[in-house]
Amino acid sequence: MKKSTVNEIKKRFDNDVERFANLETGQVATMDAQISLELLTSASKAIKPKAVNVLDIGCGAGNYTLKMLSKIPNLNSVLIDLSQNMLDKAQERVLATTTGKVETIQGDIRDIELPRNHFDIILAGAVLHHLREDSDWEFVFQKLYNSLSPGGCLMISDLLVQDHEGVNQMVWERYADYLTQHGGQEYQQKVFDYIEIEDTPRSMTYQLELMKKVGFSSVEILHKNACFGTFGGIK
């Protein structure tokens, strides 16, 4: 199947800002959204307690940065998203809670130039699954690694596949059950349809190995439930 283009994905997110702006519920379609957000930001603080600069890729309406600011106040934040509507919402929410600098950049992480050795924490919440070929994944992981300060961390929370076909099927059946319980059969199908069109997730193992390959000194697994996981790498 032909996957969505970047512009098609951007258009969908342009029209979906309010749903992404709820810090209490997180994403209903994401299992354990709240736990993941909590663990990812707590681990970032544990790794870089004196962090100054944070980069939030695919920031949506700003939930990850807001949660990070609740742990380490007044960070300087750079927010990146395909959708200007999302960025406007994120900027408004983040500016209200920090005295740090807030910069927004509209665009695709593959095309945006990042400073080297600069960010103490990079947050990537439900965004990297939009990458396509292996070359894309390696290019972006290398770029993010280069942009981290020494001892800095890239923390990811995302949709995943499993490496073994049978296990993958079992895991996705669990996710289908979860969606059906939360929104019924039609909702489950709707979510699966847009995953099919938009997303090309990789396994956690693949991403942890790729982190090691591009230079991360160590990796951490924080949480995994069915086809969702939270994990990271430390420079």
Side-chain angles (χ1 to χ4, degrees):
M1 174 187 269
K2 186 178 172 292
K3 295 282 184 180
S4 301
T5 63
V6 168
N7 273 340
E8 285 164 344
I9 294 168
K10 173 188 172 294
K11 196 170 168 187
R12 185 169 80 79
F13 286 119
D14 275 343
N15 297 321
D16 220 0
V17 174
E18 286 312 315
R19 188 168 65 84
F20 282 81
N22 191 326
L23 204 53
E24 277 61 57
T25 60
Q27 290 310 301
V28 175
T30 303
M31 297 170 78
D32 296 347
Q34 282 296 87
I35 298 165
S36 297
L37 191 55
E38 177 59 40
L39 285 169
L40 183 133
T41 48
S42 294
S44 298
K45 182 183 179 181
I47 294 162
K48 268 284 190 180
K50 292 187 165 66
V52 176
N53 299 304
V54 63
L55 170 64
D56 189 345
I57 308 164
C59 66
N63 285 354
Y64 281 79
T65 296
L66 288 171
K67 195 73 167 176
M68 198 65 247
L69 286 166
S70 75
K71 306 273 193 310
I72 306 176
N74 303 323
L75 291 161
N76 296 320
S77 319
V78 175
L79 311 170
I80 294 176
D81 204 273
L82 288 175
S83 164
Q84 188 60 49
N85 294 0
M86 288 286 191
L87 283 171
D88 292 345
K89 186 70 174 177
Q91 184 176 33
E92 174 197 317
R93 294 170 82 210
V94 172
L95 277 171
T97 57
T98 184
T99 56
K101 282 186 280 193
V102 183
E103 183 188 349
T104 63
I105 304 171
Q106 185 192 2
D108 185 323
I109 185 62
R110 287 167 288 200
D111 306 325
I112 293 165
E113 205 166 309
L114 296 175
R116 291 176 81 90
N117 304 310
H118 178 72
F119 295 106
D120 303 305
I121 297 166
I122 299 179
L123 305 172
V127 61
L128 298 177
H129 63 254
H130 290 133
L131 295 172
R132 299 293 183 231
E133 286 75 32
D134 288 342
S135 54
D136 260 2
W137 283 84
E138 187 160 343
F139 174 73
V140 169
F141 272 48
Q142 189 68 66
K143 176 186 264 195
L144 298 178
Y145 173 82
N146 293 344
S147 189
L148 280 170
S149 62
C153 59
L154 164 61
M155 304 306 274
I156 297 169
S157 181
D158 215 341
L159 182 69
L160 305 166
V161 290
Q162 302 296 131
D163 292 315
H164 184 278
E165 199 178 319
V167 178
N168 193 52
Q169 191 177 337
M170 177 273 291
V171 156
W172 280 77
E173 281 167 6
R174 283 178 63 93
Y175 183 38
D177 291 345
Y178 165 87
L179 290 171
T180 305
Q181 280 168 17
H182 279 75
Q185 197 74 51
E186 206 175 298
Y187 176 63
Q188 182 262 311
Q189 197 52 56
K190 184 183 167 192
V191 173
F192 271 43
D193 285 347
Y194 80 67
I195 289 172
E196 180 66 33
I197 293 167
E198 282 192 5
D199 304 342
T200 35
R202 292 290 198 276
S203 70
M204 191 186 288
T205 316
Y206 171 91
Q207 294 179 67
L208 294 172
E209 285 171 355
L210 187 54
M211 282 181 176
K212 289 290 186 75
K213 184 181 175 186
V214 302
F216 284 90
S217 61
S218 63
V219 293
E220 293 291 347
I221 297 169
L222 301 172
H223 184 70
K224 186 170 183 306
N225 185 3
C227 50
F228 289 92
T230 305
F231 54 100
I234 301 151
K235 185 165 179 174

